Amino acid sequence: MQLEATSIDIGTSRPLVLLNTIDAEELGAHPLDRVLLSWAGETMTGIVKRTDELVEPGTVGVTEPLHHVHGAVGVTLAGTPPSVRCVRKKLDDVELERAELERIVRDIHEHRLSDVELSAFVSAVYTNGLSLAETKHLTEAMGDIGQRLQWDRPVVADKHSIGGVAGNCVTPIMVAIVTAAGVTMPKTSSRAVTSPAGTADVMEVLSNVEFSIAEIERIVEETNGCLVWGGGVDLSPVDDEIIRAENPLSIDPDGLLMASVLSKKQSAGSSHVVIDIPYGEGAKVESLVAARGLADDFRRVGDYLEMDVSCAITHGTDPIGRGVGPVLEARDVLAVLEGDGPESLRLKSLRLAEMLLEHCDVDAAATEILESGRALEQFRSIVAAQGGDPDVESTDLEPGEESTTVRVDRAGVTSRVDNRTLSDLARRAGAPRDSGAGLVVHRTVGDEVEPGDRLYTIHAETESKLEEAVSFAEGLEPVRVRSKADALVERR
């Protein structure tokens, strides 16, 4: 069938093809079938959507991944990719071979799987899990696709947190300490997906974060490190597609989590990696036993990839810093580097930095580097190399002007600080899109409080978003206060 191609402005990463129902009936194409597009000696596969109105008969609508298709196009039915059979095997709890996982990864990258098929793969892994062998092969396959950073240095340090803890912005502090000690640490980080701020969002308050590979190499050559957005350099791009399928389901199965993290580290050229695994009520990993099992598997997959992976199992029941949201977390980071700031953020940053330096076999004291001001000086150098103001201070950073403070209405003890609810509340206030939005947590678990004491302050950039956050918080207890007796029972 010959049709005339027309571009359709629909935001999607999938190569969707819109066929008028009349043409689809003549072709025998059903929704989610695949068709082969042929034009000017080129071919491309698209996934069918049928419509009565968006495109006229005789026309084929192509979405953004196919916008280069133009003019007269031959449209024929195409078969189902072989990787779909592999997905069905995983749904049946059959262990997949290396070649089958490579086929799935390749087809995800080339957009041959529909959203339904990709979701089926993610759901199959969530339900049936991945064996250690499958995780190793999947990680390797994901790391082999996309760009790679390469360094002519024997030791390249890196760090990752599996997330789930509010205000956990230790990475900029760690990078400053580790690079000041002479270790190369080109840190590529993510933007927030479901949290109020990713490391890239926090750094964007202070400097640019989007750079090409050549620009990253220049920054690292100048400063020994960087803090940039990984999405700008196409490292392990299949990981981004898998995360896109996981988010609506709010799932992150261990096998895919490990493949996601370590394929990114492999692509970034990392040789020594510390993985932060917070556990506890409200964190991604709720028990110490589960955290230890995940740490063991991380190390095994790291050994397979010839990467030195060490894991820090940390408490994840409280926020780490006081601020939650890009500006507020950036303020905490600078305050710690300046010699002040939240003690919990300072201590965790030092612990992880010491751990990473030890595994890199570097004889340097993280505490001395921080307290001497060397870390602050190094951080300012990185900010300057990334186009930011090296003289910025924590007191220069102001959150959104619209704010309200929630106070204690009875005497007692703070018995719980709910990370998940705090993160949801900060997002309702506008974070991370509004960099000044978020909240400041004034209490930690175990604090004694009196009526009128502050629990948390919500910041927003607009009055409407502040009202939305306040409405969301009604009936919730992001910071729970109980009588001393009740709090003791809870802790037991």
Side-chain angles (χ1 to χ4, degrees):
M1 176 181 289
Q2 286 289 120
L3 300 174
E4 189 72 18
T6 182
S7 296
I8 302 292
D9 186 17
I10 298 177
T12 173
S13 63
R14 287 283 172 273
L16 298 182
V17 170
L18 278 68
L19 293 175
N20 186 276
T21 301
I22 295 172
D23 293 327
E25 291 288 350
E26 183 178 342
L27 188 63
H30 300 93
L32 299 184
D33 279 351
R34 290 168 179 80
V35 291
L36 185 68
L37 306 180
S38 305
W39 79 103
E42 297 185 54
T43 60
M44 187 83 179
T45 301
I47 299 168
V48 171
K49 294 286 186 180
R50 293 168 53 137
T51 177
D52 291 321
E53 298 179 357
L54 289 179
V55 297
E56 298 291 330
T59 302
V60 55
V62 292
T63 56
E64 186 174 344
L66 296 170
H67 277 180
H68 59 289
V69 179
H70 57 275
V73 177
V75 183
T76 58
L77 286 176
T80 301
S83 60
V84 174
R85 292 195 294 273
C86 303
V87 172
R88 284 200 296 266
K89 284 179 66 174
K90 195 62 203 172
L91 285 165
D92 290 332
D93 199 15
V94 177
E95 184 167 346
L96 299 179
E97 301 292 334
R98 178 199 294 266
E100 293 173 316
L101 288 162
E102 289 173 346
R103 188 175 297 130
I104 290 173
V105 168
R106 186 171 58 250
D107 283 354
I108 293 173
H109 179 59
E110 295 176 359
H111 304 300
R112 291 184 181 141
L113 296 185
S114 68
D115 287 340
V116 171
E117 291 156 347
L118 179 55
S119 295
F121 174 63
V122 169
S123 299
V125 174
Y126 176 75
T127 302
N128 299 318
L130 291 176
S131 69
L132 191 59
E134 285 177 309
T135 302
K136 292 174 179 177
H137 297 150
L138 178 62
T139 305
E140 196 168 34
M142 289 169 61
D144 285 342
I145 288 179
Q147 294 181 301
R148 282 203 179 198
L149 293 169
Q150 295 182 330
W151 312 99
D152 57 353
R153 312 174 192 205
V155 174
V156 178
D158 210 334
K159 170 264 176 188
H160 182 85
S161 173
I162 68 169
V165 179
N168 190 24
C169 199
V170 303
T171 300
I173 303 168
M174 281 187 67
V175 170
I177 294 171
V178 171
T179 55
V183 179
T184 300
M185 192 169 180
K187 186 71 182 79
T188 60
S189 299
S190 62
R191 295 187 187 277
V193 179
T194 58
S195 69
T199 299
D201 300 306
V202 174
M203 276 305 298
E204 199 165 33
V205 173
L206 304 170
S207 71
N208 298 329
V209 295
E210 295 190 31
F211 298 97
S212 67
I213 284 183
E215 289 169 330
I216 291 172
E217 290 172 345
R218 174 190 58 78
I219 293 166
V220 174
E221 187 65 31
E222 288 180 15
T223 68
N224 220 27
C226 65
L227 285 151
V228 303
W229 177 49
V233 286
D234 198 35
L235 303 179
S236 185
V238 170
D239 174 49
D240 300 325
E241 291 296 309
I242 290 174
I243 289 173
R244 188 177 61 82
E246 290 175 325
N247 286 336
L249 302 170
S250 296
I251 59 176
D252 194 8
D254 286 353
L256 292 181
L257 169 64
M258 286 184 282
S260 168
V261 172
L262 295 182
S263 66
K264 291 282 192 188
K265 302 308 174 192
Q266 185 183 39
S267 298
S270 306
S271 64
H272 293 68
V273 183
V274 163
I275 307 293
D276 173 28
I277 305 178
Y279 79 95
E281 185 180 6
K284 281 187 179 179
V285 180
E286 295 203 344
S287 73
L288 180 58
V289 171
R292 286 173 173 165
L294 183 59
D296 286 342
D297 286 343
F298 259 117
R299 285 189 286 265
R300 291 189 183 103
V301 178
D303 288 344
Y304 175 77
L305 298 173
E306 298 182 345
M307 188 185 300
D308 185 324
V309 175
S310 52
C311 296
I313 297 175
T314 59
H315 290 288
T317 51
D318 269 352
I320 302 303
R322 295 289 189 182
V324 182
V327 166
L328 292 163
E329 292 184 40
R331 187 169 69 178
D332 279 353
V333 165
L334 278 174
V336 169
L337 289 168
E338 291 164 355
D340 195 8
E343 184 67 4
S344 54
L345 180 60
R346 176 182 175 276
L347 290 176
K348 183 168 183 177
S349 301
L350 285 171
R351 177 191 172 189
L352 294 179
E354 290 277 11
M355 187 174 182
L356 186 52
L357 289 170
E358 180 182 344
H359 280 273
C360 292
D361 199 23
V362 174
D363 185 15
T367 301
E368 187 277 329
I369 293 172
L370 180 62
E371 292 181 350
S372 68
R374 289 167 57 199
L376 176 60
E377 182 181 353
Q378 176 67 9
F379 185 73
R380 294 194 186 286
S381 297
I382 293 172
V383 168
Q386 293 185 195
D389 177 7
D391 298 321
V392 66
E393 297 181 356
S394 59
T395 52
D396 297 330
L397 303 181
E398 294 290 342
E401 292 183 357
E402 301 293 335
S403 68
T404 188
T405 297
V406 176
R407 298 181 181 273
V408 183
D409 59 5
R410 63 187 182 278
V413 175
T414 304
S415 64
R416 184 189 178 198
V417 181
D418 189 331
N419 277 302
R420 194 167 298 169
T421 302
L422 286 173
S423 294
D424 289 345
L425 182 53
R427 290 181 67 88
R428 292 297 181 104
R433 180 178 292 275
D434 297 341
S435 63
L439 49 90
V440 178
V441 184
H442 302 293
R443 301 294 164 186
T444 59
V445 172
D447 286 354
E448 294 189 11
V449 294
E450 297 294 334
D453 285 350
R454 298 178 301 168
L455 289 179
Y456 59 92
T457 299
I458 306 171
H459 289 275
E461 294 185 0
T462 65
E463 185 177 353
S464 61
K465 288 188 178 179
L466 178 64
E467 290 173 354
E468 182 179 346
V470 170
S471 176
F472 175 76
E474 289 178 1
L476 300 175
E477 285 188 303
V479 183
R480 181 191 299 162
V481 175
R482 294 289 184 265
S483 69
K484 291 183 181 180
D486 288 345
L488 183 61
V489 170
E490 276 193 12
R491 285 200 292 273
R492 287 176 176 171

